[in-house]
Amino acid sequence: MTEVESAAGATSTEAPEPWYLALLGFAEHFRTSSPPKIRLCVHCLQAVFQFKPPPRVEARTHLQLGSVLYRHTKNSELAQSHLEKAWFISQQISFFMYVKFEAASILSEFYCQQNLVDSAKPVLRKAIQISQQTPYWHCRLLFQLAQLHALEKDLVSACDLLGVGAEYARVMGSEYTRALFLLSKGMLLLMERKLSEVHPLLTLCGTIVENWQGNPIQKESLRVFFLVLQVTHYLDAGQVKSVKPCLKQLQQCIQTISTLHDDEILPTNPAALFHWLPKEHMCVLVYLVTVMHSMQAGYLEKAQKYTDKALMQLEKLKMLDSSPILSTFQVILLEHIIMCRLVTGHKATALQEISQVCQLCQQSPRLFTNHAAQLHTLLGLYCISVNCMDNAEAQFTAALQMTTHQELWTFIVTNLASVYIREGNRHQELYSLLERINPDHNFPVSSHCLRAAAFYIRGLLSFFQGRYNEAKRFLRETLKMSNAEDLNRLTACSLVLLGHIFFVLGNHRESNNMVVPAMQLASKIPDMSVQLWSSALLKDLNKACGNTMDAHEAAQMHQNFSQQLLQDHIAACSLPEHNLISWTDGLPPVQFQPQNGPTTSLGSLL
């Protein structure tokens, strides 16, 4: 039903008055004109009140006016007034379900947009209380209140409501909607890291999804939801190899959905009138988790390919759809591709994409709140890549103050530790950090990948301190863990550092056995910094062994990598966006002053 169309006769025994139908017709004509004539639409609806209509028509007209003003104008005060009147009047009328619950739903949505969350909650609670005989609205309002609690980070209350919804759907005989409630609860439990509760819940969901026989698109969409949770659970745990069977199933599932036609036949059970996500949104989501996997595994060209596909799809969708989830997808995609760019030696492009994330966050306060820590983390990684270590420290410190997410916190601390190691004079701060990410004892998260990275950081520190046997122990632990889960980038970094250690110790053969596969793996990723490091080592190794031709070839490779990195370094530092490295507080700056030229040392690159 549109904002001004009305099933006037469906809720009243009396036929609608001709004047009422005429005004509604005009209002709808103006609303759907191209471009919409909202002012004339509003005039037509306001004219209804001149006829002193009965309460049903009055309530419905307030709802229509409130909806139009809320969706199409900036007159929030008048929109609020009409929506509140619709909700108040409709509560006094028996058997007036559509207007009553639609008014409660839109009014609560309006309150949330105006940051009046405490006003939205009692409206939704009251509507839930009186909607138990109306399955569709009861389920929809439960979802809405659960979402509100989730946005406030009150995941306990949100999970409780989703549990109530699952039981209600079971009683109403809708296993489909029961699965939607349970999967939504599973998603929140994963966010809370309550893994002991997640595993039995996902097992139950898997059984329900497989046993449910119904609309093929609805069934496949449940499978996508279920598999997305499984894949993200594995990726959160840093288990890049173990996730592959689930990811493959998910990709096959989305291909199946794309071949199915939407059935116009609605479910007979009103409690089942829900969709998780539109097909097009699901496609983008599957691209997104594929990018996440490729990034973690070190398949960066594959990550680039799927990011390009996803962003192209998003641009098309955003022309027709203003759903906030699309901007969230876009930001997460950009966050991952920025990390890829920094690894592959495209810092200038990464910086421009960081600026793009800033612009998206400026358009949505909620998006900025949810992604500010990630944004500062990305800037910290960029600062490391251009050797601005003081700025990197400031960015990581800002990010740590903004996150309560344990995996992100551990990732930031690991990178901050690498900054302190490079600076060489921050021993007290460094040891304090390392105590908090000790991979041998009480590691703060269950992530396989992050624990392997923590061993690498310990190995790096031992190397710089000249404690080579200790360094080898840590790096062999990293290698064991990274090989177990196909963490290619960590494998390459560990191999080249081990190769460097063996070279320093004079064991040229063992050094070569490490550096050659490191170079091969780095070329496959491709990781420009490891390629630079490996080529320098190969040059020195071959020179020490008297292999003049091989030494010359390695020297030429090293020169090529150096030139590429140098040119990219100069390009990045010359961009106006480079000034973002100084931003550590508040909203990101809207405009950037141009740089006169690079202001950072290139010594670490060459």
Side-chain angles (χ1 to χ4, degrees):
M1 181 174 277
T2 66
E3 286 143 348
V4 297
E5 282 177 333
S6 169
T11 53
S12 172
T13 53
E14 298 177 15
E17 296 282 353
W19 56 262
Y20 178 53
L21 293 177
L23 286 171
L24 271 189
F26 278 126
E28 182 64 0
H29 167 74
F30 290 132
R31 191 188 71 85
T32 55
S33 298
S34 184
K37 298 174 181 175
I38 298 302
R39 189 171 60 84
L40 294 174
C41 170
V42 169
H43 283 327
C44 290
L45 290 171
Q46 285 174 329
V48 171
F49 299 123
Q50 303 298 318
F51 291 86
K52 300 287 189 294
R56 285 173 177 269
V57 172
E58 185 184 1
R60 188 182 295 110
T61 305
H62 279 303
L63 173 60
Q64 291 159 344
L65 269 166
S67 297
V68 169
L69 290 165
Y70 168 45
R71 309 277 189 212
H72 300 285
T73 76
K74 293 182 180 178
N75 195 338
S76 55
E77 197 173 315
L78 194 56
Q80 180 175 339
S81 172
H82 282 295
L83 290 170
E84 286 174 343
K85 285 175 183 174
W87 170 233
F88 177 75
I89 296 168
S90 63
Q91 287 179 78
Q92 321 304 317
I93 305 169
S94 302
F95 308 110
F96 201 41
M97 304 307 178
Y98 169 76
V99 171
K100 189 181 301 183
F101 301 131
E102 181 82 3
S105 179
I106 296 176
L107 178 58
S108 301
E109 186 186 321
F110 170 85
Y111 281 146
C112 289
Q113 193 194 62
Q114 299 295 313
N115 291 319
L116 301 169
V117 176
D118 288 337
S119 298
K121 288 176 188 172
V123 173
L124 286 172
R125 288 194 192 108
K126 174 70 173 175
I128 288 168
Q129 183 187 339
I130 60 178
S131 64
Q132 292 193 32
Q133 302 307 311
T134 315
Y136 166 74
W137 276 108
H138 192 64
C139 291
R140 177 170 159 179
L141 293 163
L142 281 167
F143 274 126
Q144 191 171 347
L145 184 55
Q147 183 182 31
L148 193 157
H149 282 300
L151 289 172
E152 284 199 306
K153 303 288 190 277
D154 180 4
L155 301 188
V156 173
S157 297
C159 284
D160 287 346
L161 283 162
L162 292 169
V164 168
E167 179 57 21
Y168 178 82
R170 187 191 66 78
V171 171
M172 290 292 108
S174 175
E175 287 294 281
Y176 167 76
T177 305
R178 182 188 177 203
L180 277 181
F181 275 114
L182 290 173
L183 287 166
S184 301
K185 183 177 179 180
M187 179 173 65
L188 297 186
L189 289 171
L190 278 174
M191 289 166 65
E192 280 280 86
R193 301 293 177 266
K194 293 186 176 176
L195 302 185
S196 60
E197 294 179 52
V198 168
H199 294 143
L201 186 65
L202 285 183
T203 302
L204 173 61
C205 288
T207 305
I208 294 171
V209 171
E210 289 309 311
N211 291 340
W212 184 70
Q213 301 299 318
N215 181 310
I217 285 186
Q218 284 186 315
K219 183 177 178 74
E220 290 303 311
S221 74
L222 284 179
R223 290 191 74 227
V224 169
F225 195 170
F226 172 68
L227 288 167
V228 163
L229 292 187
Q230 284 203 310
V231 169
T232 50
H233 179 35
Y234 275 118
L235 291 178
D236 267 355
Q239 294 175 319
V240 173
K241 187 176 182 179
S242 305
V243 76
K244 285 181 179 178
C246 281
L247 183 59
K248 191 172 182 181
Q249 281 184 61
L250 177 59
Q251 291 163 341
Q252 289 169 344
C253 198
I254 202 68
Q255 286 178 339
T256 303
I257 285 185
S258 62
T259 63
L260 295 172
H261 296 288
D262 290 313
D263 290 335
E264 294 299 323
I265 303 168
L266 291 173
T268 52
N269 189 334
L273 291 167
F274 296 96
H275 280 295
W276 174 49
L277 280 177
K279 273 198 301 189
E280 298 76 14
H281 292 200
M282 281 190 265
C283 287
V284 174
L285 181 57
V286 174
Y287 282 141
L288 174 55
V289 295
T290 303
V291 168
M292 291 166 68
H293 174 261
S294 301
M295 172 66 213
Q296 275 199 37
Y299 306 129
L300 302 193
E301 288 179 348
K302 186 177 178 184
Q304 174 67 64
K305 183 179 84 170
Y306 280 105
T307 299
D308 290 343
K309 286 185 176 183
L311 290 174
M312 198 182 302
Q313 180 87 350
L314 275 170
E315 286 305 315
K316 291 178 186 173
L317 289 173
K318 287 180 86 172
M319 290 178 189
L320 307 167
D321 186 346
S322 60
S323 173
I325 199 171
L326 296 179
S327 293
T328 301
F329 286 164
Q330 189 175 359
V331 165
I332 298 172
L333 279 163
L334 286 168
E335 287 169 354
H336 281 79
I337 204 60
I338 287 161
M339 289 188 282
C340 290
R341 307 269 196 221
L342 293 173
V343 172
T344 57
H346 298 95
K347 295 184 281 290
T349 307
L351 187 56
Q352 289 167 327
E353 286 165 340
I354 290 172
S355 174
Q356 198 179 336
V357 175
C358 288
Q359 289 164 20
L360 287 165
C361 287
Q362 282 164 352
Q363 295 163 18
S364 167
R366 182 172 289 152
L367 204 56
F368 178 68
T369 301
N370 291 336
H371 291 269
Q374 291 91 318
L375 197 43
H376 285 291
T377 304
L378 291 169
L379 280 166
L381 296 173
Y382 167 76
C383 291
I384 290 176
S385 76
V386 291
N387 203 32
C388 297
M389 294 303 166
D390 288 345
N391 296 98
E393 181 185 353
Q395 292 296 338
F396 289 139
T397 303
L400 286 172
Q401 292 168 354
M402 295 176 185
T403 188
T404 56
H405 189 281
Q406 278 292 90
E407 274 77 7
L408 180 58
W409 180 90
T410 307
F411 179 79
I412 297 165
V413 168
T414 304
N415 282 283
L416 183 55
S418 79
V419 170
Y420 290 153
I421 290 171
R422 290 170 197 228
E423 288 185 318
N425 59 354
R426 305 294 296 277
H427 305 299
Q428 189 175 342
E429 296 97 325
L430 175 59
Y431 289 123
S432 173
L433 283 184
L434 291 178
E435 274 304 303
R436 301 168 81 181
I437 54 165
N438 185 345
D440 285 319
H441 181 67
N442 289 337
F443 194 64
V445 292
S446 59
S447 171
H448 184 92
C449 180
L450 288 172
R451 187 162 170 260
F455 276 117
Y456 176 79
I457 287 293
R458 295 264 171 167
L460 187 66
L461 176 61
S462 299
F463 166 73
F464 275 110
Q465 293 175 335
R467 302 202 307 270
Y468 298 128
N469 285 332
E470 185 178 89
K472 283 191 283 185
R473 182 184 83 78
F474 287 129
L475 292 170
R476 282 172 177 147
E477 197 62 41
T478 304
L479 271 179
K480 186 172 77 175
M481 293 186 72
S482 55
N483 283 333
E485 284 293 344
D486 289 350
L487 304 171
N488 288 334
R489 189 154 182 261
L490 266 177
T491 300
C493 290
S494 302
L495 284 171
V496 73
L497 184 48
L498 275 168
H500 203 135
I501 290 168
F502 283 120
F503 179 75
V504 171
L505 294 173
N507 189 340
H508 294 165
R509 183 179 175 182
E510 198 62 36
S511 177
N512 192 68
N513 289 343
M514 298 293 152
V515 178
V516 170
M519 175 60 102
Q520 290 169 344
L521 197 50
S523 303
K524 182 182 166 187
I525 291 171
D527 185 324
M528 188 65 82
S529 297
V530 175
Q531 284 177 297
L532 182 73
W533 189 358
S534 299
S535 59
L537 263 176
L538 282 171
K539 178 187 69 173
D540 294 341
L541 259 175
N542 285 303
K543 191 175 178 183
C545 296
N547 302 326
T548 310
M549 292 289 289
D550 290 340
H552 178 73
E553 186 183 333
Q556 189 58 55
M557 273 197 300
H558 184 259
Q559 177 68 15
N560 292 341
F561 292 135
S562 296
Q563 284 301 312
Q564 287 178 53
L565 281 166
L566 180 58
Q567 288 166 12
D568 184 51
H569 182 105
I570 293 168
C573 295
S574 301
L575 288 171
E577 291 86 350
H578 182 73
N579 281 310
L580 275 169
I581 68 173
S582 303
W583 162 67
T584 55
D585 190 36
L587 287 168
V590 180
Q591 293 180 322
F592 313 102
Q593 295 302 314
Q595 290 279 317
N596 294 323
T599 57
T600 56
S601 163
L602 305 180
S604 67
L605 293 175
L606 307 176

